[in-house]
Structures are given as C-alpha cells and as structure tokens.
Amino acid sequence: MQYKKKNFYVENISTEKLARKFNTPLYCYSYLKLKNNIINFKNHFKKINPLICFSVKSNSNIKILREIKNLDCGADVVSMGEMMKVLKAGINTKKIVFSGVGKTYSELEYAINKNILLINVESRSELLVVEKIGKLKKKKIDIGIRLNPNINAKTLQQISTGKKENKFGVTEKEFLKLVKHAKLSKSLKLKCLSVHIGSQIFSHKPYEKMLKVIDKLIKQTNHKFEFVDLGGGMGISYEKNNKKLNLKIYNSLINKFLKKNSCKIIFEPGRSIIADTGILISKIIYIKKNKNKNFVILDAAMNDLMRPALYGAKHQIIPSKKNKKITNKIFEFVGPICESTDKFLTTKKFQNIREGELIIICDVGAYGMSLSSNYNLRTLPAEILVKNSKIQVIKSRQKLSDII
Ligand SMILES: *Cc1c(COP(=O)(O)O)cnc(C)c1O
C-alpha cells in the first residue's frame, strides 16, 4: 500500500476509486501484504518451525481467515463464536487452541466434542470442569495450562496480561499444583504450557525473562510438555519512528530454550500478521475552524475503530490525494459520535484539506473491524480485500434496516 504519484493505492487500485465504488468509511485489506507478513514471520522462525495459531480476536472476517488457513496457519480462539467461525473457514481442528479466563461449560463441551488441539486452561476451577466433561464423555482431553509469569511486558497498561495483578493464567505455585493434579487425572492429558504476556511488546527482554521462568518451571515439574505456547504480542510500528520487536533476537532466545527443552513451539500472533494489511478510508464531513485548532470531522468514528478511544492508541492519518500545501496549525481528527474520546489523532500540521475529501487511517487490520460496534446506532462499515488486482467485498456494509 503506497502512493503512486499523488494518489494512495491498495495494490493497484486507488483509494479514490475504492471510496467512489463502495462508499466510506471503508476497511480495505491487501492480500499481498498479508501473504508477505506470514512468509516473513515463518522465515524468521524457520529452524523452530512453530505452529502459527492466528489470534482470531484481532480480525475475524471469514474471508481473511480462509486466506490465513490457505497460508498454512491455525487459530487461537477465545469464544465459541470464534471457534465456530474458524471451523467454518476450514481450519483444521488439530490447529486450533482455545484461550480465555471465562470459558463456559457449553463452550468447553463444544471444544471437546470437536477434538481441538488444546484447551489452555487458566484456573483450577476451569481445569476441574474440563476434567468433569472428560469423565462424562469417557475421554482423555488434551490441555495446556496458562502460566502468569509475573513479567512486566513494558507495554500499555491496558494491554498487559502477564503481571500478577492481571486476571490471566495461574501463578507458578498454582501451576505446579495443577500439573500434579493433571498428571494423576484419567480424563486429562497435559500437553502444553502456555503464556501470553501482553500486546505491542517492543523489547525482547520481557520475552527473555518469560523463557527463563518457563525453563525453570518445566524443570521443577519434571514433566515432558509436548508443546510450549508462547502466545503473541509481537509489537509493530504504528508511527514512523516507532521501533518494532526484533524477531531475530527473539528467535535466537527460543532456539537457546529449545536446546534444553525439546518441544513444539506454538505462536499466537495477531497484530504482527494483520495490523498493517488494512486501512480505513474515511471522508471529511466538516472542517470546524477554531482560533488555534481545526477540527476535521470524519465520517468514521470510534464505533468503526475503537483503539484510539479505548487505549489512546495512535494511528497515522494521511491524505488519499497528496498536495504540497502544508498548513501549520493544530488539526484534530474526530468522529461524529457524542463522546469526547471519539477522536483519532491530533497533528501540528497537515496538508490543505477540504470538506468532502478523503483521508486514510493506517494500520487498522488488527483490532479494527473486530472491535467495531453499533454505538450511536451507526451501521458497521464494509470491508474489501484486494487480491491479484481484483476487489472482493468480504463484508458488505450493514444496512440501517438491519439495526432498527
Ligand atoms: C490477544 C491475544 C493474542 C494476540 O496478541 P497480539 O498482540 O495481537 O499478537 C495471543 N494470545 C492470546 C491468548 C491473546 O489473548
């Protein structure tokens, strides 16, 4: 996705054309980018040869899931809905892992009936429920136990998951107790140790600490884990000067770990695979000029893309059609929703823009559409995929009549 002369393109189709054809706000994805991301990810971890279970909560469009399946990935799901969708997308049950702190009895039963690869339990209570279902069905159920390694992932507080004050996983002490329990159980087969310490992690240091904790703990259990599931969280750059996680270093840390522990590594990447494959095209409805600020009021809002309102996340905003006239004034890009957090970005300068023109919000492929809602009774936007020069509507725009 890039400018060709003055216009921004998704592969070989201009965003101006896409907006004209499908209206705005519009999510657009590039298949080529997705394919390259997955190939690059795999190349970084060639020797490890991990099972890649795409984190479905980051993007659950079924057409995207089908492409991801065809690129040889499995899925990490966190609800019955996600599980049903990845099965519909044709993802092999032996490539599905189920995470989450609050899996209900019926969700667990459904997963057990489908014989998925792993249920990663996050508490003693959950483990007991899985055991009970196994007993009733006279089945031995493959499980993992999610460890909370008490590590500061140095990411946004709202997306940290591996500190002891976070609700996820179990402490080392509890982990050891649950391992003992699972090993003695006739209905459980303990196959995996899983972790996921947070999202948007830039430094390899938290991962290094995490691997140390896992290594130590596995020794203490004296159990042969077939899988170690390291979760996702690999950080990507949303701003020009932002760093991203050095996968080379992470790879060498894992290789070191594997010398001492022979097991299959599972990754659950979401953002690092899908974030930069998507953009959101939006039209400027009004420009409201104050003395020292221009409010640029867009037809996209926090219901279409919630990350800025939810986490204060920053997504770059660029014009669909470039010009050279820069205005040095504060521009605040906002949506029409009746909430003061409904704003995307504040910049100190922007090119000359006018009402009716288009802008592009970048890197919205992860936690974009999947976090959208009907707040303010606004319809969900459409999603399109550009693949091999062809445009596919992978989700049509919701109609007002569907929600009224
Ligand atoms: C959200 C989540 C992921 C994916 O995180 P990213 O930062 O998108 O890579 C992986 N595993 C679990 C258990 C998650 O909850």
Side-chain angles (χ1 to χ4, degrees):
M1 289 183 274
Q2 59 186 2
Y3 285 104
K4 289 184 188 169
K5 290 191 180 143
K6 286 190 172 75
N7 288 298
F8 197 76
Y9 276 73
V10 178
E11 297 191 10
N12 58 349
I13 301 168
S14 80
T15 45
E16 299 280 321
K17 180 177 167 184
L18 289 170
R20 238 180 290 127
K21 215 166 158 168
F22 301 102
N23 221 330
T24 53
L26 179 70
Y27 274 94
C28 310
Y29 305 93
S30 156
Y31 172 75
L32 196 60
K33 189 91 190 135
L34 173 63
K35 189 173 135 191
N36 286 338
N37 283 354
I38 292 179
I39 290 172
N40 277 339
F41 190 92
K42 282 186 183 163
N43 282 341
H44 270 111
F45 300 107
K46 219 172 206 155
K47 205 171 134 206
I48 295 171
N49 188 26
L51 172 62
I52 301 171
C53 291
F54 175 69
S55 171
V56 175
K57 74 175 191 285
S58 69
N59 191 312
S60 52
N61 185 292
I62 193 153
K63 296 281 172 52
I64 300 262
L65 294 175
R66 285 207 179 107
E67 298 297 356
I68 284 173
K69 177 210 113 188
N70 291 335
L71 292 162
D72 237 17
C73 295
D76 165 43
V77 299
V78 293
S79 71
M80 176 120 103
E82 286 188 359
M83 208 170 355
M84 290 168 100
K85 208 156 181 189
V86 299
L87 290 170
K88 194 172 169 189
I91 291 181
N92 188 311
T93 51
K94 286 299 166 207
K95 286 185 176 179
I96 301 174
V97 299
F98 191 9
S99 313
V101 291
K103 307 179 199 77
T104 63
Y105 189 96
S106 55
E107 285 181 311
L108 289 168
E109 197 175 30
Y110 183 83
I112 288 164
N113 285 339
K114 295 289 176 195
N115 293 312
I116 64 167
L117 180 66
L118 288 168
I119 295 172
N120 287 335
V121 303
E122 304 211 16
S123 64
R124 169 177 296 269
S125 304
E126 185 189 352
L127 182 125
L128 294 178
V129 172
V130 174
E131 189 176 27
K132 187 171 148 195
I133 300 173
K135 215 172 196 170
L136 284 171
K137 294 191 187 291
K138 301 193 171 57
K139 235 168 147 172
K140 206 155 175 150
I141 299 157
D142 297 336
I143 63 158
I145 303 173
R146 177 162 170 184
L147 169 73
N148 182 325
N150 191 21
I151 279 159
N152 187 345
K154 302 246 161 61
T155 181
L156 286 172
Q157 183 199 329
Q158 300 98 317
I159 52 177
S160 164
T161 56
K163 284 194 281 184
K164 63 176 188 296
E165 57 265 39
N166 299 130
K167 67 179 175 182
F168 302 97
V170 298
T171 61
E172 290 180 44
K173 212 169 137 198
E174 180 77 344
F175 186 89
L176 291 170
K177 286 189 197 158
L178 295 185
V179 169
K180 257 191 204 145
H181 183 109
K183 277 165 87 168
L184 290 171
S185 170
K186 288 198 182 81
S187 318
L188 300 173
K189 189 162 168 72
L190 176 58
K191 286 196 161 179
C192 177
L193 181 160
S194 88
V195 282
H196 172 71
I197 58 173
S199 205
Q200 252 323 49
I201 299 169
F202 294 121
S203 161
H204 63 274
K205 296 242 167 70
Y207 286 123
E208 190 171 19
K209 281 189 198 154
M210 172 184 97
L211 288 166
K212 268 199 189 125
V213 173
I214 298 175
D215 185 48
K216 185 190 78 185
L217 207 56
I218 289 182
K219 276 201 188 83
Q220 285 177 40
T221 61
N222 202 20
H223 180 70
K224 170 92 186 69
F225 287 92
E226 188 179 336
F227 300 98
V228 169
D229 180 344
L230 297 175
M234 295 84 163
I236 66 131
S237 126
Y238 283 101
E239 286 159 85
K240 270 190 202 127
N241 50 2
N242 230 197
K243 46 191 179 333
K244 59 179 178 187
L245 179 71
N246 187 326
L247 293 181
K248 270 193 193 133
I249 301 180
Y250 192 22
N251 173 61
S252 65
L253 292 170
I254 297 169
N255 273 311
K256 221 159 74 188
F257 170 85
L258 286 174
K259 281 199 183 114
K260 291 181 271 178
N261 305 279
S262 106
C263 59
K264 178 90 176 167
I265 294 290
I266 300 174
F267 284 125
E268 302 168 346
R271 190 189 315 273
S272 53
I273 300 263
I274 198 78
D276 67 359
T277 69
I279 57 168
L280 179 59
I281 307 176
S282 176
K283 191 181 282 168
I284 300 168
I285 309 176
Y286 298 121
I287 298 176
K288 179 152 71 172
K289 296 185 177 173
N290 273 6
K291 196 171 158 213
N292 44 18
K293 210 189 241 182
N294 283 352
F295 288 102
V296 184
I297 302 166
L298 304 174
D299 67 355
M302 65 189 277
N303 75 300
D304 303 299
L305 174 66
M306 189 154 67
R307 295 188 72 253
L310 190 63
Y311 318 120
K314 284 199 175 95
H315 287 264
Q316 269 196 279
I317 293 183
I318 56 175
S320 165
K321 204 184 195 113
K322 262 204 291 202
N323 65 44
K324 292 211 173 85
K325 293 168 226 143
I326 303 294
T327 306
N328 284 299
K329 194 174 170 183
I330 293 173
F331 287 82
E332 190 163 302
F333 292 88
V334 303
I337 280 183
C338 309
E339 296 279 349
S340 289
T341 53
D342 184 27
K343 61 181 175 193
F344 292 111
L345 194 72
T346 308
T347 62
K348 285 190 181 126
K349 58 181 178 192
F350 206 78
Q351 75 169 39
N352 263 6
I353 39 175
R354 282 188 296 208
E355 295 174 352
E357 289 181 347
L358 300 172
I359 59 90
I360 287 152
I361 309 180
C362 300
D363 306 316
V364 299
Y367 310 103
M369 189 63 173
S370 66
L371 269 170
S372 64
S373 77
N374 288 122
Y375 188 40
N376 275 208
L377 221 52
R378 288 165 50 89
T379 53
L380 299 183
E383 286 176 290
I384 62 119
L385 174 69
V386 180
K387 181 180 179 184
N388 304 331
S389 307
K390 289 203 185 74
I391 307 169
Q392 298 173 31
V393 179
I394 57 173
K395 181 137 199 192
S396 32
R397 189 174 300 284
Q398 198 175 33
K399 290 191 190 76
L400 268 176
S401 56
D402 295 337
I403 55 173
I404 293 170

